């Protein structure tokens, strides 16, 4: 197994998306001092006792996989989907795609929901 760094994932993003990646990282790590950042080959996992959000950075988008039951989401955003039966990197049954700062604000709500779901 190789060792991976957050910067390697950050380098994949272009333009303003880099700022959004850094804002996500900061937001997640500020929720609780016990949150660990664990960069993997294809994503960055954030966990306490278990992963609650995994961030996959691509050139023009950031995909979050969150420990949320998709059935709990009343109004499913158009940039989100249930991935219970779809193979993907990371852990979580709820996928949320971020392409701009507007998506970032909604993502913060989902990240907090996932954190609370694992007993945070």
């Amino acid at each position: 197994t190789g060792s991976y760094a957050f910067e390697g994932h950050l380098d994949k993003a272009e333009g303003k998306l880099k700022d959004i990646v850094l804002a996500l990282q900061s937001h997640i790590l500020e929720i609780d001092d016990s949150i660990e950042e664990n960069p993997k080959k294809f994503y960055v996992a954030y966990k306490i006792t278990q992963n609650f959000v995994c961030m996959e950075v691509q050139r023009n988008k950031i995909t979050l996989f969150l420990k949320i039951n998709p059935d709990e989401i009343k109004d499913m955003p158009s940039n989100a989907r249930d991935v219970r039966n779809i193979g993907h990197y990371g852990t979580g049954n709820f996928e949320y795609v971020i392409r701009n700062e507007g998506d970032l604000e909604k993502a913060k709500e989902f990240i907090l929901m996932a954190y609370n779901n694992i007993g945070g």
Side-chain angles (χ1 to χ4, degrees):
T1 59
S3 77
Y4 303 96
F6 177 81
E7 290 71 25
H9 293 280
L10 181 62
D11 289 344
K12 295 177 191 174
E14 289 187 348
K16 291 187 176 192
L17 204 61
K18 282 187 191 289
D19 294 336
I20 295 173
V21 171
L22 291 170
L24 275 170
Q25 177 195 39
S26 176
H27 173 74
I28 294 167
L29 294 174
E30 287 172 0
I31 293 172
D32 189 316
D33 289 340
S34 61
I35 294 173
E36 297 174 33
E37 180 178 74
N38 192 359
K40 302 290 188 184
K41 184 173 184 177
F42 297 110
Y43 62 92
V44 181
Y46 293 91
K47 68 180 194 169
I48 296 181
T49 55
Q50 57 182 290
N51 293 353
F52 65 94
V53 60
C54 293
M55 175 170 55
E56 186 178 320
V57 180
Q58 296 165 338
R59 194 166 36 119
N60 296 312
K61 69 179 182 177
I62 304 159
T63 305
L64 300 180
F65 295 99
L66 300 119
K67 280 270 178 110
I68 296 174
N69 179 347
D71 296 335
E72 294 175 14
I73 307 300
K74 290 181 178 45
D75 295 318
M76 184 72 75
S78 61
N79 58 333
R81 66 182 178 155
D82 178 343
V83 292
R84 284 180 279 205
N85 298 313
I86 300 171
H88 60 85
Y89 296 115
T91 55
N93 292 326
F94 181 72
E95 176 188 275
Y96 186 78
V97 176
I98 300 169
R99 295 182 192 274
N100 56 51
E101 289 188 21
D103 296 339
L104 171 62
E105 291 311 308
K106 189 68 176 171
K108 290 178 180 181
E109 294 174 33
F110 291 133
I111 290 166
L112 199 54
M113 185 185 294
Y115 170 77
N116 290 328
N117 281 349
I118 64 156

